[in-house]
Amino acid sequence: MAVEVGTEKLGERQPRRRVSRPSLTAPGLLGLPIAWLAVFFLVPIGIVAAYSVDVLSFGSETHGFTLAAWHDFVHSGIYLRLFWKSVKMSLIVSVVIVVLAYPLAYYLALSGTKRKYVLLLLLIAPFLTSYLLRVLAWTVLLGDEGPINSFLSWTGLRPHDHPLTLIDTRFAVMLVLGYIWLPFVALPIFVSLESLDRRLLEAATDLGASRFTAFRRVTLPLSLPGVMAAFLFVFIPTIGEFVTPSLVGGTSGYMYGNQIVDLFQTGFPDWETGSVLAIFLLAVVVLLTLVFSRFLQPRQVSAS
Amino acid sequence: MSGDGDRIERRISRQELLKIAAAAGGAGLLAGRVSGAAAAIEAMTAESGRLQVLDWVGYGYDGGQAMFAAYNKRYPKNKAQIHVMTNEANALNQFNGGLKVDLFRPYIGWVKYFAQSGLVQPWDPKLIPNLKHLNPYMVKAGQYQGKQYGIPDDWGFDEILYRTDKVKPKANSYSLLFDERYKGKIAWFDDIEMPEIAGLLHGYKDTWNQTDAQLKKSKDFLISKKHLVRKIWSSETDMQQLFAGGDIWISYAWPADYAAMKAKGLPVAYMRPREKPIAWVGNFMLMKDTPRPHLAHAYVDAWSSAKSGKWLEDNYFYGHANVLAKPSSTALAKSLQIGNPRALGPANANLDRDIPRRAEYEKAWQEVKAS
Amino acid sequence: MDVALSRYGAWALRAFFVLVVVFLYAPIVILLVFSFNNANIPAFPLSGFTFHWYHQFLTNSDLKSSLKTSAIVAALSSTGAVLLGILSAIALVRHRFRGTGPVAALLLSPLVIPYVVFGLALLLLFHTAGIPRSIFTVVIGHIVITLPYTILVLMPRLQQIDVSLEEAAYDLGASRLRTFRSVTLPLLLPAVVSAYLIAFTTSFDEYAVASFTVGTQPTFPIYLYSAIRFPSNLPQVIAVAVVVISVSLVVVIAAEVGRRVAERRLGAVES
């Protein structure tokens, strides 16, 4: 689409390069988005904080600022232990799928395959379909008399009345979460591997390094930002997960996010304690993000 | 028998009830009913929109439609729209979240709580003709400060459902829910009834009012047994699915779940624990600012009819408060004590009741779940 | 020789890639198989072919109205998010001002918040302010969470568009709005469409925040969640799942292909 540039008429004053621009400057443009976020993002978080210290409460009586709920939270330790359990589960999932995703990204970026973007799309596409439906697929697969177990007993690999307990376990939660996030995690690693300058590898091998050494000392370190980004992209959301655990976790797969939902939706309402748990989770997540943001390059983020 | 003078123990036979009703002034009753009905009809034409009902799984269009079919037929423009609650705490959360309904069904242990909460208003007995057929003891239990806050309809027990081909209980006791032999095959209910059951097992005098020390003991007991539990269910279909699939063999369950599993052809038994089962009575409660109070009364009346009662008894194996509702099978009635008017008395069951220290119980239960 | 991969290494990685792709698509294929299976419970051995479940869900009015609700919510929230995203992108890319960093951080911060926390925060906001929950409260939440995605899609594209094209328009006396409409927007269009689609699909599929903000009309994920939890209609739900996943796969692939084609055609603007 061409833009026509007129020619100057002879005798007319030369137009100045920089015309003064009317109206909208940055603050004007940003006014609306920032106002929206202020009202519907920052204020609600503030309200949660207020509930956690009983400045606001859902009954009609508030008792005024008190750190009692926070004190209980730290003191009793039960919710902290649950938090730690969720962190461990998220850690395992994140590490495993980053390790699995790396070879995938490596193959796409460095093997010289002609259709790398098509294959990348093929890999990513499931991530862009429905989350709940993919969890549903696993609830169907993992039951004691579901397809996997009935297949095992049909082929005689396992006795019929001793099926593998797959669903309602911590394992099921981690498996499904890994399945959900694996496609997405390959992306940042792919981006950083793709931007790798092959000449560095050529130089390394010219200097006598084996492929593996070149990988270890050139490729791996340079792709580390992508790996870090990938890890964080899955680790941070997974700590607060509650949907998957509620569908496949049973009793042992109960996570911190489920506890929060219980205090607000399924169990007897205790908004003060629930708010404490929520603020704690938010604080940890924000801290992790700030600490590791030095490893994140905008490229990884915008590529997804 | 009736020696101790306790009203609960007094036998109320059907004949006695009808005699009382007749003696109470049939004419007056009739007159009141007619004028009440006329006023109701006038008021109802002013109420519009579908009746919003918050009820439990199985009581809506997912199986229980026969219970209110008469209402839907009579008011097709105001057909019931059913929202689901998994227990009373969940209902409370939904209200707090802004859900607006016209009526809902908490159970007997919560009548006092909700009556005091400001969320509900009392019913007008004149607008519920079937009320007079309901078991008076249950009707009385639904009252608070002399007003009829709850209309009882369904009742039953909390007992233990188990697979007879997989499970050999050591005794007929709630302890089966905590049996180490069946690790990974047990399901509990997501409610503070679990600490109540723990209290019964420990033999506490009043498991609804445990002291701090007793509650801690119940909580620790539950935590120590949690590793045996496959699922803490909040919705019956969840639990039924797991049972039918063979994922669990033992569960806290209600008679309807027993009926459902039997219908599927599973070898199951519904065990009455020697600690005397916890018993419940469902109580419809009317929301305070409902725009459809008369329709709500009509709905409850439909639910309270003998026809609905009979359906409930035959299909869900629950008792129904309407004394005229007789189940089709006497064997069934006997085994589930449906025809026994003293079924909910202290000699037979632990009728659920208000818990003065509810917040502590809820906190303890949350800690069990988090552990 | 190839410096990155030996022949054996390339073969091994290719095999691994195939394995992973099979793993990713297998559950979906299994859903497909069972959606035609003539039985109430999805288990082997199979029991015969039927279209019954597809027919059943098409007549399920609760399901259909939840789809409609989700579509409305997604359309409204994507529009809002794209509009706010365009404003933000222009401000961040075309204007130099102090505080670009913090402003960008604020605008992107919803990416970081766990949805359970954000959902309950909105619940508390609406409860405290006395606002009843409805389709609009869901839209509000979805605009917040999809805004960062739209910004991240629009910004790179805007950076690619040569500023001198816009400046030429100003030189010719065009107002800012006119410039945007005639110069910037057409070039930005592939990214706008892309942003809209991403926001739409995110909102359509979103359960966590919606579960806290939804009113009496369930969105499709809300309906789906209770269908999964209370699976009396499991085969029907499986049929729905197959249809929705297939449609979204097609849409995603078509959108991506379309975007690349469009951008290549407009490609001359790379600066």
PDB file of all heavy atoms in Angstrom, chain C residues 67-83:
ATOM      1  N   LEU C  67     -22.599 -21.648  25.281  1.00  0.00           N
ATOM      2  CA  LEU C  67     -21.716 -21.292  24.159  1.00  0.00           C
ATOM      3  C   LEU C  67     -21.988 -19.857  23.721  1.00  0.00           C
ATOM      4  O   LEU C  67     -21.065 -19.078  23.441  1.00  0.00           O
ATOM      5  CB  LEU C  67     -21.947 -22.254  22.978  1.00  0.00           C
ATOM      6  CG  LEU C  67     -21.292 -23.631  23.084  1.00  0.00           C
ATOM      7  CD1 LEU C  67     -21.818 -24.556  21.990  1.00  0.00           C
ATOM      8  CD2 LEU C  67     -19.789 -23.527  22.995  1.00  0.00           C
ATOM      9  N   LYS C  68     -23.284 -19.528  23.674  1.00  0.00           N
ATOM     10  CA  LYS C  68     -23.638 -18.183  23.248  1.00  0.00           C
ATOM     11  C   LYS C  68     -23.083 -17.157  24.242  1.00  0.00           C
ATOM     12  O   LYS C  68     -22.512 -16.137  23.847  1.00  0.00           O
ATOM     13  CB  LYS C  68     -25.156 -18.066  23.147  1.00  0.00           C
ATOM     14  CG  LYS C  68     -25.619 -16.807  22.437  1.00  0.00           C
ATOM     15  CD  LYS C  68     -27.099 -16.872  22.117  1.00  0.00           C
ATOM     16  CE  LYS C  68     -27.837 -15.988  23.116  1.00  0.00           C
ATOM     17  NZ  LYS C  68     -29.235 -15.751  22.772  1.00  0.00           N
ATOM     18  N   THR C  69     -23.272 -17.442  25.530  1.00  0.00           N
ATOM     19  CA  THR C  69     -22.771 -16.522  26.551  1.00  0.00           C
ATOM     20  C   THR C  69     -21.266 -16.324  26.419  1.00  0.00           C
ATOM     21  O   THR C  69     -20.763 -15.201  26.476  1.00  0.00           O
ATOM     22  CB  THR C  69     -23.089 -17.059  27.956  1.00  0.00           C
ATOM     23  OG1 THR C  69     -24.488 -17.315  28.045  1.00  0.00           O
ATOM     24  CG2 THR C  69     -22.676 -16.074  29.016  1.00  0.00           C
ATOM     25  N   SER C  70     -20.560 -17.417  26.222  1.00  0.00           N
ATOM     26  CA  SER C  70     -19.100 -17.309  26.081  1.00  0.00           C
ATOM     27  C   SER C  70     -18.721 -16.491  24.868  1.00  0.00           C
ATOM     28  O   SER C  70     -17.759 -15.719  24.901  1.00  0.00           O
ATOM     29  CB  SER C  70     -18.476 -18.697  25.961  1.00  0.00           C
ATOM     30  OG  SER C  70     -18.199 -19.223  27.218  1.00  0.00           O
ATOM     31  N   ALA C  71     -19.470 -16.667  23.785  1.00  0.00           N
ATOM     32  CA  ALA C  71     -19.151 -15.918  22.566  1.00  0.00           C
ATOM     33  C   ALA C  71     -19.337 -14.419  22.801  1.00  0.00           C
ATOM     34  O   ALA C  71     -18.510 -13.596  22.395  1.00  0.00           O
ATOM     35  CB  ALA C  71     -20.032 -16.399  21.406  1.00  0.00           C
ATOM     36  N   ILE C  72     -20.416 -14.069  23.484  1.00  0.00           N
ATOM     37  CA  ILE C  72     -20.670 -12.656  23.754  1.00  0.00           C
ATOM     38  C   ILE C  72     -19.580 -12.081  24.651  1.00  0.00           C
ATOM     39  O   ILE C  72     -19.032 -11.007  24.388  1.00  0.00           O
ATOM     40  CB  ILE C  72     -22.055 -12.477  24.427  1.00  0.00           C
ATOM     41  CG1 ILE C  72     -23.157 -12.899  23.455  1.00  0.00           C
ATOM     42  CG2 ILE C  72     -22.254 -11.038  24.861  1.00  0.00           C
ATOM     43  CD1 ILE C  72     -24.531 -12.875  24.070  1.00  0.00           C
ATOM     44  N   VAL C  73     -19.274 -12.807  25.706  1.00  0.00           N
ATOM     45  CA  VAL C  73     -18.233 -12.335  26.621  1.00  0.00           C
ATOM     46  C   VAL C  73     -16.910 -12.163  25.895  1.00  0.00           C
ATOM     47  O   VAL C  73     -16.219 -11.148  26.035  1.00  0.00           O
ATOM     48  CB  VAL C  73     -18.068 -13.319  27.797  1.00  0.00           C
ATOM     49  CG1 VAL C  73     -16.787 -13.039  28.553  1.00  0.00           C
ATOM     50  CG2 VAL C  73     -19.250 -13.230  28.733  1.00  0.00           C
ATOM     51  N   ALA C  74     -16.566 -13.146  25.073  1.00  0.00           N
ATOM     52  CA  ALA C  74     -15.283 -13.090  24.368  1.00  0.00           C
ATOM     53  C   ALA C  74     -15.258 -11.925  23.385  1.00  0.00           C
ATOM     54  O   ALA C  74     -14.256 -11.216  23.272  1.00  0.00           O
ATOM     55  CB  ALA C  74     -15.038 -14.413  23.650  1.00  0.00           C
ATOM     56  N   ALA C  75     -16.374 -11.725  22.674  1.00  0.00           N
ATOM     57  CA  ALA C  75     -16.399 -10.636  21.693  1.00  0.00           C
ATOM     58  C   ALA C  75     -16.236  -9.289  22.390  1.00  0.00           C
ATOM     59  O   ALA C  75     -15.423  -8.454  21.982  1.00  0.00           O
ATOM     60  CB  ALA C  75     -17.709 -10.684  20.902  1.00  0.00           C
ATOM     61  N   LEU C  76     -16.980  -9.096  23.461  1.00  0.00           N
ATOM     62  CA  LEU C  76     -16.916  -7.822  24.163  1.00  0.00           C
ATOM     63  C   LEU C  76     -15.539  -7.591  24.774  1.00  0.00           C
ATOM     64  O   LEU C  76     -14.961  -6.508  24.650  1.00  0.00           O
ATOM     65  CB  LEU C  76     -17.982  -7.770  25.266  1.00  0.00           C
ATOM     66  CG  LEU C  76     -19.427  -7.626  24.790  1.00  0.00           C
ATOM     67  CD1 LEU C  76     -20.376  -7.707  25.987  1.00  0.00           C
ATOM     68  CD2 LEU C  76     -19.608  -6.303  24.064  1.00  0.00           C
ATOM     69  N   SER C  77     -15.018  -8.610  25.431  1.00  0.00           N
ATOM     70  CA  SER C  77     -13.747  -8.382  26.120  1.00  0.00           C
ATOM     71  C   SER C  77     -12.591  -8.241  25.136  1.00  0.00           C
ATOM     72  O   SER C  77     -11.665  -7.464  25.382  1.00  0.00           O
ATOM     73  CB  SER C  77     -13.470  -9.480  27.146  1.00  0.00           C
ATOM     74  OG  SER C  77     -13.365 -10.715  26.520  1.00  0.00           O
ATOM     75  N   SER C  78     -12.649  -8.944  24.006  1.00  0.00           N
ATOM     76  CA  SER C  78     -11.571  -8.782  23.022  1.00  0.00           C
ATOM     77  C   SER C  78     -11.593  -7.391  22.434  1.00  0.00           C
ATOM     78  O   SER C  78     -10.539  -6.782  22.231  1.00  0.00           O
ATOM     79  CB  SER C  78     -11.719  -9.782  21.884  1.00  0.00           C
ATOM     80  OG  SER C  78     -12.001 -11.048  22.382  1.00  0.00           O
ATOM     81  N   THR C  79     -12.788  -6.907  22.157  1.00  0.00           N
ATOM     82  CA  THR C  79     -12.880  -5.551  21.622  1.00  0.00           C
ATOM     83  C   THR C  79     -12.256  -4.571  22.600  1.00  0.00           C
ATOM     84  O   THR C  79     -11.425  -3.731  22.219  1.00  0.00           O
ATOM     85  CB  THR C  79     -14.354  -5.169  21.386  1.00  0.00           C
ATOM     86  OG1 THR C  79     -14.981  -6.198  20.632  1.00  0.00           O
ATOM     87  CG2 THR C  79     -14.454  -3.856  20.640  1.00  0.00           C
ATOM     88  N   GLY C  80     -12.653  -4.689  23.857  1.00  0.00           N
ATOM     89  CA  GLY C  80     -12.099  -3.789  24.865  1.00  0.00           C
ATOM     90  C   GLY C  80     -10.594  -3.922  24.978  1.00  0.00           C
ATOM     91  O   GLY C  80      -9.866  -2.928  25.025  1.00  0.00           O
ATOM     92  N   ALA C  81     -10.118  -5.166  25.011  1.00  0.00           N
ATOM     93  CA  ALA C  81      -8.683  -5.374  25.190  1.00  0.00           C
ATOM     94  C   ALA C  81      -7.895  -4.857  24.001  1.00  0.00           C
ATOM     95  O   ALA C  81      -6.818  -4.286  24.157  1.00  0.00           O
ATOM     96  CB  ALA C  81      -8.398  -6.861  25.407  1.00  0.00           C
ATOM     97  N   VAL C  82      -8.421  -5.053  22.799  1.00  0.00           N
ATOM     98  CA  VAL C  82      -7.700  -4.581  21.612  1.00  0.00           C
ATOM     99  C   VAL C  82      -7.668  -3.051  21.586  1.00  0.00           C
ATOM    100  O   VAL C  82      -6.642  -2.434  21.279  1.00  0.00           O
ATOM    101  CB  VAL C  82      -8.334  -5.149  20.326  1.00  0.00           C
ATOM    102  CG1 VAL C  82      -7.841  -4.407  19.110  1.00  0.00           C
ATOM    103  CG2 VAL C  82      -8.015  -6.617  20.196  1.00  0.00           C
ATOM    104  N   LEU C  83      -8.792  -2.422  21.910  1.00  0.00           N
ATOM    105  CA  LEU C  83      -8.809  -0.961  21.927  1.00  0.00           C
ATOM    106  C   LEU C  83      -7.795  -0.417  22.918  1.00  0.00           C
ATOM    107  O   LEU C  83      -6.961   0.438  22.593  1.00  0.00           O
ATOM    108  CB  LEU C  83     -10.204  -0.462  22.303  1.00  0.00           C
ATOM    109  CG  LEU C  83     -11.247  -0.544  21.186  1.00  0.00           C
ATOM    110  CD1 LEU C  83     -12.610  -0.148  21.711  1.00  0.00           C
ATOM    111  CD2 LEU C  83     -10.843   0.353  20.024  1.00  0.00           C
TER     112      LEU C  83
END
